[in-house]
Amino acid sequence: MRRIKTGKINKRIMAMIERNYSKLKELCGYRSYGCFCSKSYEDIFQDTVLYVSQDKRASAINTDKELVEYFHYRFKMIEFQTINDNKLLKEIPYADYRKSKENDSQDE
């Protein structure tokens, strides 16, 4: 499972995110639906805001265009991780169930 990044927030990057908030929301699937690991796309978007605002790589960004591209890239990465975490949660109980079924059949 992915951990939320913790660190110091870069105020300059947060100001850039604020200026481009509506563009970022639209670019990152505003009004998309789905639920992965009990997270909606809105939750993934907010995780991305937190990640980018604390990321050292993002602190080197100087233009709004670069920020939008980097934010979209990070959103897709966090979305991918969240979807895979969701799949992993669904696969583990099935694998345990198969193993216990095999053990039951060997006991007979």
Side-chain angles (χ1 to χ4, degrees):
M1 294 287 248
R2 186 178 56 82
R3 292 186 185 152
I4 300 295
K5 188 173 191 144
T6 57
K8 191 170 182 177
I9 292 176
N10 187 326
K11 291 181 182 182
R12 185 179 61 81
I13 296 298
M14 281 302 288
M16 291 173 79
I17 291 172
E18 179 185 10
R19 277 195 310 270
N20 295 289
Y21 191 81
S22 59
K23 183 187 287 186
L24 293 170
K25 285 284 277 190
E26 187 176 320
L27 183 65
C28 294
Y30 179 62
R31 297 182 193 223
S32 292
Y33 60 91
C35 194
F36 311 101
C37 291
S38 71
K39 286 188 172 189
S40 66
Y41 279 99
E42 183 67 31
D43 296 325
I44 296 169
F45 182 82
Q46 293 305 321
D47 285 350
T48 308
V49 169
L50 289 173
Y51 186 93
V52 171
S53 67
Q54 298 170 9
D55 192 11
K56 289 181 182 175
R57 233 175 108 192
S59 63
I61 293 174
N62 293 317
T63 65
D64 286 350
K65 184 180 179 196
E66 289 175 0
L67 175 79
V68 169
E69 290 172 0
Y70 184 71
F71 189 94
H72 186 247
Y73 166 75
R74 280 293 166 199
F75 177 82
K76 290 295 186 186
M77 294 303 293
I78 292 172
E79 176 186 36
F80 177 78
Q81 290 171 338
T82 304
I83 290 170
N84 282 336
D85 288 348
N86 188 55
K87 287 179 185 176
L88 183 64
L89 286 175
K90 289 180 179 179
E91 291 172 2
I92 290 172
Y94 176 72
D96 290 343
Y97 174 74
R98 279 190 72 186
K99 189 181 274 187
S100 69
K101 281 285 249 183
E102 290 172 4
N103 290 341
D104 289 344
S105 64
Q106 289 175 357
D107 290 340
E108 293 177 356

